[in-house]
Amino acid sequence: MILLGFIVFLILLLIGVPIWLSLGIGGVFWGIFLTGLPLESIPTQFFISIDSWLLLAIPYFLLAGNLMTYMGPAYKMLKVVNDLVGHFRGGIPAATVITCAIFGALSGSSIATVVAVGTLMIPQMKALGYSMQNSMGIVASAGTLGSMIPPSIFFVLYASMVGADVGDLFIAGIIPGVFISIILVITAVLVSSKENAAVKEKSSFAVIKRSFLEAIPSLLMPVIVLGGIYSGKFTPTESAAVAVLYVLIISFIFNRKDFTRENLVKSIKSSMMTTAVIYIILGGAQLFSTALMYTQLPQGITRALTELSVSPWVIMLLILVLFFVLGTFLEPIPILFITMPILYPVVTSLGFNAIHFGVVTCALMMISQITPPVGGSLFALSSYFKENVGVVVKGSMPYLYALIIAALVLLYVPWLSTALVG
């Protein structure tokens, strides 16, 4: 009967049923036919999943990021990076990675990042002689950095599922985020050096100074968010609300031209749509995971794996492979919801740190966003620029390998994930 529940779930996925409904039906199947759960508990479980103070941080962080995007403050930060490093050989590709890291952290959405940064940077790279393939590969892969660099929506979801401290996860993501950014910058420079591209004209000191001063208000937002959380002044949810208020204030003062009703409506609409998708998947996943717990399957898997006479590091490597395989046909959020109820007890029973595992998991979710044939960032870039998705996939391959190497380093060097949180 347990196997039959999985088969029902997989069949629904294969025929194109939305992931939240597939999870929910699979969970209801187990609940009714295997554990005898009363039908009236089904809607209760659905709503319990989103009845969380911590999860309120998601719409606030998304709204803050969208306000930064639509009302202009984010683009001032992008100009600083471009002015600073764009004139070096391989500087524009490097600036694109750094831009994606900053923009992704602010927007909380890889799709929004690849479209916004791609609109700004891909025409520049193309004009200088970089191939469309490489340009799109850089943006697609670097656009995933917002998943790691705080404040990360994935960390909020992970913390809500396993009971970890989201403030610790945010702080823990800083070093890995910088590390992966450096790996991608090096990869971008090496790959781009093979192309006979020109370099951007060097910006004067006066231009750099002016763009830096204009970007200071925007650059302070992550400092306020992380500083407030780590100093104990705000909870993560409160810090997200403060971020929204802060962006509204700086947009009104410094970006009056873009502070319009139309841009405000766009920001709210985009945030509502993304939040709704996350919450409805969370509801379906709650039904699935609750029924799964009643089957005792996670406990059985934990016992079986902990009794194996192999190194815990080998088991962790197998978990990485599992995440990679799932990433070829599922989006990152469903992967989290499906796997955490089963894998988290296994990982903790093997003695691994919850923060370390959260960072490694997040790195793997980054990989899944550019893993064909389902990688969301690949298709977002392809459809927006009306380019064949094969071009984006080919361009992303060197960066996909770089992300895999980075994930392995994060797995086997736990210090990178835990140094700032003790």
Side-chain angles (χ1 to χ4, degrees):
M1 190 64 74
I2 294 176
L3 179 60
L4 191 57
F6 270 114
I7 291 174
V8 169
F9 167 65
L10 290 173
I11 289 175
L12 291 172
L13 273 184
L14 290 173
I15 63 176
V17 175
I19 182 67
W20 70 270
L21 192 56
S22 302
L23 287 166
I25 292 174
V28 169
F29 179 88
W30 275 333
I32 294 175
F33 295 106
L34 190 62
T35 65
L37 284 175
L39 284 174
E40 58 267 23
S41 69
I42 293 172
T44 303
Q45 289 296 323
F46 196 96
F47 285 104
I48 282 174
S49 66
I50 57 175
D51 185 20
S52 165
W53 172 252
L54 176 60
L55 289 176
L56 276 176
I58 292 175
Y60 283 125
F61 277 133
L62 288 171
L63 180 56
N66 283 318
L67 289 171
M68 289 284 283
T69 303
Y70 287 109
M71 293 197 174
Y75 290 97
K76 291 186 177 181
M77 292 189 294
L78 312 189
K79 188 175 185 307
V80 175
V81 176
N82 213 355
D83 288 340
L84 280 172
V85 302
H87 61 281
F88 293 111
R89 176 68 60 183
I92 289 294
T96 302
V97 174
I98 299 169
T99 296
C100 284
I102 297 171
F103 203 98
L106 294 174
S107 72
S109 167
S110 296
I111 305 300
T113 300
V114 298
V115 171
V117 177
T119 301
L120 183 70
M121 302 302 289
I122 287 178
Q124 284 192 52
M125 287 191 281
K126 191 175 178 183
L128 290 171
Y130 294 100
S131 67
M132 181 62 88
Q133 179 176 301
N134 184 37
S135 301
M136 288 194 155
I138 294 170
V139 174
S141 54
T144 66
L145 284 165
S147 304
M148 178 68 74
I149 298 173
S152 163
I153 301 300
F154 284 111
F155 282 149
V156 175
L157 291 171
Y158 175 83
S160 70
M161 296 179 72
V162 306
D165 186 296
V166 72
D168 284 347
L169 283 164
F170 281 173
I171 299 300
I174 294 174
I175 292 178
V178 172
F179 169 70
I180 296 175
S181 299
I182 292 171
I183 293 291
L184 288 177
V185 165
I186 293 171
T187 306
V189 171
L190 290 175
V191 173
S192 302
S193 65
K194 299 176 182 178
E195 299 183 313
N196 188 26
V199 296
K200 174 182 170 291
E201 184 179 346
K202 184 177 181 179
S203 300
S204 67
F205 177 77
V207 170
I208 294 173
K209 180 182 176 181
R210 185 171 64 250
S211 61
F212 177 74
L213 291 174
E214 289 176 349
I216 285 177
S218 305
L219 293 169
L220 286 176
M221 193 191 90
V223 176
I224 292 171
V225 170
L226 295 178
I229 293 172
Y230 210 56
S231 65
K233 301 294 183 184
F234 313 131
T235 66
T237 301
E238 289 167 346
S239 71
V242 168
V244 172
L245 181 61
Y246 178 76
V247 176
L248 285 171
I249 292 171
I250 65 171
S251 297
F252 179 77
I253 296 174
F254 300 107
N255 288 74
R256 189 72 64 87
K257 184 181 71 173
D258 295 317
F259 193 87
T260 64
R261 180 180 177 181
E262 181 184 1
N263 286 336
L264 180 61
V265 169
K266 284 181 180 178
S267 302
I268 294 172
K269 183 179 178 181
S270 178
S271 303
M272 289 173 63
M273 290 176 65
T274 306
T275 300
V277 169
I278 292 173
Y279 278 13
I280 200 168
I281 293 175
L282 187 55
Q286 177 71 21
L287 294 175
F288 189 83
S289 60
T290 299
L292 200 62
M293 294 302 293
Y294 275 101
T295 66
Q296 298 291 304
L297 182 61
Q299 295 88 329
I301 293 174
T302 300
R303 284 194 301 272
L305 289 177
T306 51
E307 290 171 2
L308 288 176
S309 57
V310 296
S311 168
W313 293 101
V314 174
I315 295 176
M316 283 294 290
L317 186 59
L318 293 175
I319 290 174
L320 260 67
V321 173
L322 172 64
F323 275 134
F324 184 81
V325 172
L326 291 174
T328 61
F329 62 91
L330 286 175
E331 289 293 330
I333 291 175
I335 293 174
L336 275 181
F337 291 148
I338 293 168
T339 58
M340 281 305 111
I342 298 174
L343 296 181
Y344 183 73
V346 174
V347 170
T348 53
S349 68
L350 292 173
F352 288 96
N353 182 290
I355 299 296
H356 176 215
F357 181 58
V359 169
V360 173
T361 299
C362 194
L364 291 162
M365 296 306 99
M366 291 172 62
I367 292 171
S368 71
Q369 293 172 67
I370 59 167
T371 307
V374 178
S377 293
L378 304 176
F379 285 93
L381 210 54
S382 169
S383 60
Y384 186 83
F385 284 94
K386 305 293 189 295
E387 190 70 56
N388 189 295
V389 71
V391 173
V392 192
V393 171
K394 288 178 183 176
S396 301
M397 283 298 106
Y399 307 98
L400 175 61
Y401 300 145
L403 287 176
I404 292 172
I405 292 170
L408 289 171
V409 172
L410 291 175
L411 171 62
Y412 289 108
V413 187
W415 177 88
L416 291 169
S417 306
T418 58
L420 296 182
V421 293

